[in-house]
Amino acid sequence: MLTSILISVIVGIICVLAAIFYNKNSRIKVALAIIGAALLLYGGFGYGALQPKAHLEVFHTGNKLQVEYPVKKVQVISPIDRDTVKCRILTIGVYPEAHSKDIWVLLKPSDNKYYPQSDYTNTSYKEDGRWQVVTRFGGDQGESYQLFVYETDVSASRFFSETIEKWKAADDYVGLQQDELPSGATEIDRLKITLENNCRGIH
């Protein structure tokens, strides 16, 4: 397929150049130009189909709390309690200097199940006293969610990571019941938030 596309582009360039420099017959000149342009368009669209651009996921941020320093505990600074959010956000927070545990965000929509959130590292990204995690919603406009923040030991963090991998492999995000949450996960913050848009089916 790629070879035929390259041949089309080369022949198209030759036809266009021939049309530019051919001066004897205007009809032949026009025909060469049309054929050349068509082959170049075919080659361009064909290459684009073989090499599609990666989908760029866009994340929004909610309103932010003012951070008081020195930071004494892990907390969420965005979104804020009672915030209205879009379908894809970054949940952002702070943590004290000595904090060493993993931080996880879990969403609890109207089905009363818990959904651990992750980016490609499967834990919240931590650096220089700040943490963040990609948070994706899949509910209806106006639906209320509880957003929980947990700090976890190694076994609880592994449980959440393996749960997400299992859901991804099955393409079935079934959620966790409260009694399924690991004992090594400790709730440290929670917010109530509402969806600004309909987020069904956009995962």
Side-chain angles (χ1 to χ4, degrees):
M1 181 68 177
L2 185 59
T3 303
S4 64
I5 289 171
L6 289 174
I7 292 171
S8 297
V9 171
I10 293 168
V11 174
I13 291 170
I14 292 171
C15 288
V16 169
L17 290 174
I20 291 170
F21 294 107
Y22 189 81
N23 295 318
K24 294 183 178 179
N25 189 315
S26 60
R27 288 184 180 178
I28 295 175
K29 185 181 182 77
V30 170
L32 287 171
I34 292 171
I35 293 169
L39 289 172
L40 288 173
L41 284 172
Y42 168 77
F45 282 118
Y47 183 78
L50 288 178
Q51 305 290 334
K53 292 183 179 179
H55 173 66
L56 182 62
E57 195 170 9
V58 177
F59 306 108
H60 300 272
T61 54
N63 294 308
K64 292 184 179 180
L65 290 176
Q66 192 71 31
V67 181
E68 293 184 11
Y69 293 97
V71 175
K72 297 179 180 178
K73 64 177 184 177
V74 176
Q75 66 180 109
V76 181
I77 60 172
S78 180
I80 62 174
D81 194 33
R82 309 288 171 175
D83 212 349
T84 301
V85 300
K86 296 186 181 293
C87 302
R88 301 284 183 276
I89 65 168
L90 286 176
T91 300
I92 302 168
V94 292
Y95 61 91
E97 185 177 345
H99 189 268
S100 59
K101 293 187 175 182
D102 287 336
I103 299 169
W104 282 84
V105 169
L106 277 71
L107 294 179
K108 185 181 180 185
S110 55
D111 66 1
N112 286 320
K113 293 182 179 180
Y114 293 81
Y115 296 84
Q117 302 295 297
S118 74
D119 54 19
Y120 300 108
T121 64
N122 269 3
T123 58
S124 297
Y125 176 76
K126 296 172 66 179
E127 184 178 11
D128 295 331
R130 288 190 174 243
W131 61 269
Q132 68 180 39
V133 65
V134 174
T135 310
R136 301 174 176 89
F137 299 88
D140 298 313
Q141 183 178 24
E143 183 174 350
S144 293
Y145 277 72
Q146 284 184 288
L147 185 151
F148 292 86
V149 179
Y150 283 82
E151 61 179 14
T152 61
D153 61 17
V154 173
S155 62
S157 191
R158 185 185 307 116
F159 171 80
F160 286 140
S161 293
E162 290 174 353
T163 296
I164 289 173
E165 291 302 322
K166 189 192 310 179
W167 290 351
K168 283 182 178 178
D171 195 22
D172 189 14
Y173 297 82
V174 295
L176 297 169
Q177 300 289 349
Q178 187 168 11
D179 60 7
E180 294 180 280
L181 298 181
S183 59
T186 304
E187 181 189 332
I188 53 177
D189 206 350
R190 73 166 73 181
L191 313 172
K192 184 177 180 181
I193 51 181
T194 303
L195 291 185
E196 181 179 328
N197 308 104
N198 178 21
C199 302
R200 292 282 178 192
I202 64 172
H203 279 280

